[in-house]
Amino acid sequence: MKRMFKFLSQGCMHTLLLLLMLMPGITFAYVKRDLLQKQGNVQQVKTMLLPREQWIPYPAYKDRAGWDQLTGGYKNAFIEKGNAALNYLWKVVKATDYLEYTRSGSRVIMEAPFNENIAAVVNLFTAELAEGKGRYLNQLANGVFAACEMTSWALSAHLSLQSSKVGFPDHREQVIDLMAGDVGSLFAWIYYYFHDDFRKINPLLEMRLKKELEDRIIEPYMKRDDFWWMALRYKSGDLVNNWNPWCNSNVLQTFALIEDDPEKLARAVYRTMMSVDQFINYTNEDGACEEGPSYWGHAAGKLYDYLQLLHDITGGKISLFGEPIIKNMGTYISRAYVGNGWVVNFADASAKLYPDAPLVYRYGKAVNSTEMMQLAALIRSSGKEGQVPSQGRDAYRLFQTLRFDKELAACTAAHNTPAVTWYPQTEVCFMKQGTLFFAGKGGHNNESHNHNDVGSFNLYMNDAPFFIDAGVGTYTRQTFGPGRYAIWTMQSGYHNVPVINGYEQRNGAAYKARNAQFQEAGKTFSLDIGKAYPDSAGITKWLRSYRLNNGTLEIKDAFSIADPKKENQVHFLCYGTVKNNAPGKILVEQDGGKAELTYNSRDFEAAIEAIPQEDARLQAVWGKQIHRVILVARKLQRSGIYVFQIRKL
């Protein structure tokens, strides 16, 4: 039990998932592929590693012509951002800012000033590289020094990584979380480019920066194997999510940029290979991102960053870009992209997303996926990416974006994907017919960033969502804590699935779909969702099937219940104006057109509930409200068949 509570309140993973994953009898699709370790051992890796000047494809600081070419038409914009940061007043992250997370659950209080500081550092760094006159170096030194003075670079929400578990930066222990890793790789690039200039400002400044990178990233990574995201102590049922490639890509950059000892560097690189293998082992062969499209850039996208960097520093001798699972993980984003900035958003993912076009392009190029490269060009041509490349605090992605910018601009823009895509291990399917785009899921209720949504679906018309998954609100302590499933967006009652005999679905890997099947010829997806509900619901079977037929989505529920005591309900979550048009007909209307949901009015009584969207994150996607259609069965039944149809008007 102690191990179960070890992870309480860690950032982008939930305690409840981990508790259930550690229960006996629960199995996962972990396959010990170890694709990276098969590429060579430590000593072989050592012979493959190239000197920095050979693998770094970006200009030296003094190469003004090179930087003019790399920054191109963006040069002045980078300089303007740097100018704005010249008088920036560096924020202090106060003790009470950290404590706010344990007191109220707010992450933002601590994260906001820290993020502002790092954003200013990035703007000064890129401006100096673009201009090359030394104007930004003193203020950049101020920002670096301010960060070095912090006890920890980890976020308040992630301080449970510390062994003390007190929710406050512990000066006795450095831990690597997402933020510490990001800052570490950013500062490693700053050190690589400006260590000589920092030495001229003051020798101790250069020494301090390198020492902090060693103390905060290099030493803990090599001396510890207990960070859960490393998965070096992996046991069956453990979770390995986006933290793994995200943190490892940062760690690999840091080592590659500042470690001068070839033996130490080789050991570090191989250690990252051992760790990242666990993420690939954990991922289903079909490559679907169970966390959804908005996490793709942090999961598959960060894996790509890691693999590209590993490819480059070994001169291409270590490469997984020919492996089918790596390509599958990439093309997931092009398949899950609906259009007009809308994506399939199961789990905590947001329904609104313009994927990172340069990242999608580079990944697509690496795995030889035309559909990914053309989608990237389409997103870029939409103008939604903005005029100036921005990758937050990710210096590596920014440099890569600039490096391939002209190539991406010349690529043909299109969104050509198959009419059907089936992910058999993840149990997710996408089907297109005319202007309809259907997405359905099976799986289990212990997936990373899980919602209780086995058997749910989304339906889009004219690239606009009509039947939806609400997504997730602003992250708080509750989002990843014991109270997660008290949040309405996580509950099956607010997904497009039934409430059976008075029961909603439960969270945990034991609550799962059975016999999920997809028939491409008939465009039919079916599964038994009965085991997603507790045994007390008395469900013998609840076979739900979806079929796209002549521009209509047909939904059928064939069920049997041992001891029905409460009328079943079938729910539909909708975006747009929703009206009870007539008995047996619900009209959903919005800019994307009109859709009609039909049901047997002899079987159900219908109600429409407006759900106000007061959370800023949800409101940014859906506006002020969404609606839930509640169909309540008029009678108790031990068995029966419900039929619904949704068609475009």
Side-chain angles (χ1 to χ4, degrees):
M1 289 299 292
K2 286 183 178 179
R3 189 174 176 212
M4 289 187 178
F5 291 97
K6 175 181 178 182
F7 300 104
L8 190 62
S9 79
Q10 284 185 7
C12 294
M13 60 180 299
H14 3 108
T15 305
L16 293 181
L17 300 188
L18 290 168
L19 300 183
L20 286 159
M21 293 174 94
L22 294 168
M23 290 182 178
I26 296 175
T27 60
F28 294 85
Y30 179 94
V31 177
K32 193 170 176 59
R33 304 179 183 94
D34 289 347
L35 297 176
L36 287 168
Q37 293 168 74
K38 289 176 181 176
Q39 303 277 307
N41 57 34
V42 175
Q43 290 308 311
Q44 290 170 324
V45 168
K46 182 181 175 182
T47 66
M48 300 174 188
L49 293 173
L50 298 177
R52 288 185 201 111
E53 60 271 16
Q54 291 186 29
W55 70 261
I56 294 178
Y58 322 119
Y61 172 53
K62 299 297 183 182
D63 181 3
R64 289 296 93 210
W67 277 102
D68 286 347
Q69 183 177 0
L70 188 64
T71 55
Y74 307 123
K75 176 178 178 178
N76 289 336
F78 286 129
I79 290 172
E80 288 176 9
K81 286 187 175 183
N83 289 341
L86 279 172
N87 295 314
Y88 176 78
L89 297 178
W90 302 98
K91 305 288 193 304
V92 174
V93 184
K94 302 186 294 295
T96 51
D97 295 340
Y98 283 98
L99 293 171
E100 193 63 34
Y101 181 73
T102 58
R103 290 172 174 174
S104 71
S106 171
R107 302 161 55 116
V108 177
I109 301 299
M110 177 268 157
E111 292 177 11
F114 196 7
N115 284 334
E116 288 178 25
N117 283 354
I118 299 303
V121 167
V122 170
N123 290 338
L124 293 162
F125 176 44
T126 53
E128 186 55 47
L129 289 173
E131 186 182 74
K133 296 180 180 179
R135 288 199 302 129
Y136 307 97
L137 287 173
N138 281 332
Q139 180 70 325
L140 177 62
N142 289 336
V144 169
F145 181 71
C148 289
E149 287 291 287
M150 297 177 68
T151 303
S152 173
W153 290 338
L155 297 178
S156 58
H158 303 160
L159 290 177
S160 56
L161 285 168
Q162 296 174 163
S163 54
S164 58
K165 308 292 183 191
V166 295
F168 192 77
D170 192 334
H171 65 279
R172 300 166 297 179
E173 180 184 17
Q174 291 295 337
V175 295
I176 305 172
D177 75 331
L178 302 178
M179 186 68 171
D182 281 356
V183 174
S185 62
L186 170 63
F187 282 17
W189 282 106
I190 291 172
Y191 182 85
Y192 169 75
Y193 274 109
F194 296 130
H195 64 275
D196 286 340
D197 300 274
F198 279 7
R199 190 186 306 124
K200 292 175 185 176
I201 293 173
N202 192 288
L204 290 176
L205 182 62
E206 181 216 11
M207 292 170 59
R208 176 71 183 280
L209 176 54
K210 188 170 187 181
K211 184 68 163 59
E212 295 297 338
L213 290 169
E214 291 170 344
D215 290 350
R216 296 172 190 256
I217 306 296
I218 288 178
E219 185 174 329
Y221 189 82
M222 295 306 293
K223 289 188 175 180
R224 297 184 61 166
D225 63 2
D226 60 325
F227 293 137
W228 67 267
W229 55 263
M230 296 175 79
L232 294 177
R233 295 184 180 181
Y234 180 83
K235 293 181 178 61
S236 179
D238 285 354
L239 175 70
V240 191
N241 70 356
N242 65 72
W243 275 57
N244 178 285
W246 189 342
C247 290
N248 275 298
S249 67
N250 284 321
V251 167
L252 183 61
Q253 289 177 63
T254 304
F255 273 99
L257 290 166
I258 75 165
E259 180 56 72
D260 296 320
D261 185 317
E263 190 69 35
K264 290 181 179 178
L265 179 58
R267 289 202 304 270
V269 170
Y270 189 75
R271 192 173 178 84
T272 68
M273 292 164 60
M274 293 170 60
S275 179
V276 173
D277 261 339
Q278 296 291 55
F279 177 72
I280 300 171
N281 292 347
Y282 183 84
T283 302
N284 286 323
E285 187 69 28
D286 60 29
C289 181
E290 67 180 25
E291 298 162 300
S294 61
Y295 289 87
W296 179 88
H298 304 313
K302 284 294 184 182
L303 176 64
Y304 162 73
D305 287 343
Y306 172 86
L307 293 177
Q308 186 65 63
L309 189 65
L310 188 61
H311 173 282
D312 292 348
I313 67 176
T314 61
K317 292 179 181 177
I318 297 180
S319 178
L320 296 187
F321 292 131
E323 296 287 341
I325 187 174
I326 304 302
K327 185 170 186 177
N328 291 343
M329 292 171 74
T331 56
Y332 172 83
I333 194 64
S334 53
R335 307 292 171 87
Y337 185 75
V338 178
N340 271 341
W342 294 103
V343 293
V344 177
N345 69 310
F346 296 128
D348 276 350
S350 172
K352 264 189 177 177
L353 175 72
Y354 282 95
D356 183 341
L359 174 64
V360 174
Y361 178 81
R362 295 192 303 273
Y363 198 141
K365 182 176 181 178
V367 298
N368 194 27
S369 170
T370 300
E371 72 177 69
M372 290 181 70
M373 292 188 285
Q374 290 184 342
L375 173 62
L378 180 66
I379 295 169
R380 187 184 192 278
S381 68
S382 72
K384 301 298 182 180
E385 284 288 289
Q387 294 301 308
V388 183
S390 175
Q391 293 290 349
R393 52 185 177 259
D394 197 328
Y396 177 69
R397 280 193 180 174
L398 176 60
F399 295 156
Q400 289 288 85
T401 293
L402 292 171
R403 183 184 174 199
F404 291 97
D405 185 62
K406 292 182 176 63
E407 197 174 296
L408 171 55
C411 184
T412 300
H415 187 205
N416 295 319
T417 56
V420 296
T421 301
W422 169 233
Y423 295 98
Q425 290 87 34
T426 311
E427 298 181 353
V428 166
C429 80
F430 304 143
M431 297 189 287
K432 296 187 294 183
Q433 189 177 79
T435 60
L436 297 188
F437 185 114
F438 165 87
K441 76 176 298 293
H444 57 83
N445 281 334
N446 201 23
E447 295 159 344
S448 186
H449 289 268
N450 176 70
H451 290 192
N452 290 342
D453 59 357
V454 170
S456 192
F457 76 99
N458 295 353
L459 186 66
Y460 309 79
M461 298 183 178
N462 297 323
D463 295 340
F466 278 73
F467 292 80
I468 66 172
D469 185 315
V472 67
T474 303
Y475 282 178
T476 67
R477 179 178 55 193
Q478 184 182 7
T479 310
F480 301 108
R484 176 176 175 84
Y485 293 95
I487 301 172
W488 68 271
T489 59
M490 313 297 174
Q491 300 167 11
S492 68
Y494 290 89
H495 288 80
N496 299 320
V497 292
V499 175
I500 304 174
N501 202 14
Y503 290 89
E504 293 189 17
Q505 294 183 14
R506 296 282 174 86
N507 60 286
Y511 300 98
K512 60 186 178 181
R514 292 186 299 176
N515 302 321
Q517 298 180 25
F518 175 66
Q519 298 176 4
E520 182 174 347
K523 289 198 171 178
T524 302
F525 172 52
S526 63
L527 68 172
D528 187 342
I529 64 174
K531 287 299 181 182
Y533 297 78
D535 291 342
S536 51
I539 304 168
T540 306
K541 75 167 184 178
W542 192 288
L543 182 62
R544 168 161 282 202
S545 63
Y546 297 98
R547 181 183 179 217
L548 273 184
N549 183 29
N550 295 323
T552 298
L553 176 64
E554 301 174 352
I555 306 169
K556 183 183 292 186
D557 286 331
F559 64 90
S560 59
I561 302 170
D563 185 19
K565 295 180 178 178
K566 193 165 185 179
E567 291 79 6
N568 298 322
Q569 297 182 16
V570 182
H571 293 171
F572 298 92
L573 210 62
C574 304
Y575 175 51
T577 301
V578 183
K579 298 177 182 177
N580 200 338
N581 229 21
K585 296 182 179 180
I586 302 289
L587 178 68
V588 184
E589 186 175 3
Q590 48 150 296
D591 291 342
K594 297 179 181 179
E596 184 179 67
L597 165 67
T598 60
Y599 61 94
N600 191 331
S601 59
R602 294 189 299 273
D603 290 338
F604 294 100
E605 183 177 354
I608 298 172
E609 175 190 17
I611 306 173
Q613 300 301 294
E614 298 175 350
D615 179 87
R617 182 170 178 173
L618 291 172
Q619 195 174 97
V621 177
W622 305 116
K624 293 184 179 179
Q625 65 180 14
I626 57 177
H627 292 85
R628 181 170 64 160
V629 175
I630 305 171
L631 303 181
V632 182
R634 295 184 183 275
K635 59 183 178 180
L636 295 176
Q637 291 179 261
R638 289 186 178 274
S639 62
I641 297 176
Y642 301 145
V643 178
F644 314 94
Q645 290 189 333
I646 302 172
R647 65 186 181 96
K648 178 185 175 184
L649 296 181

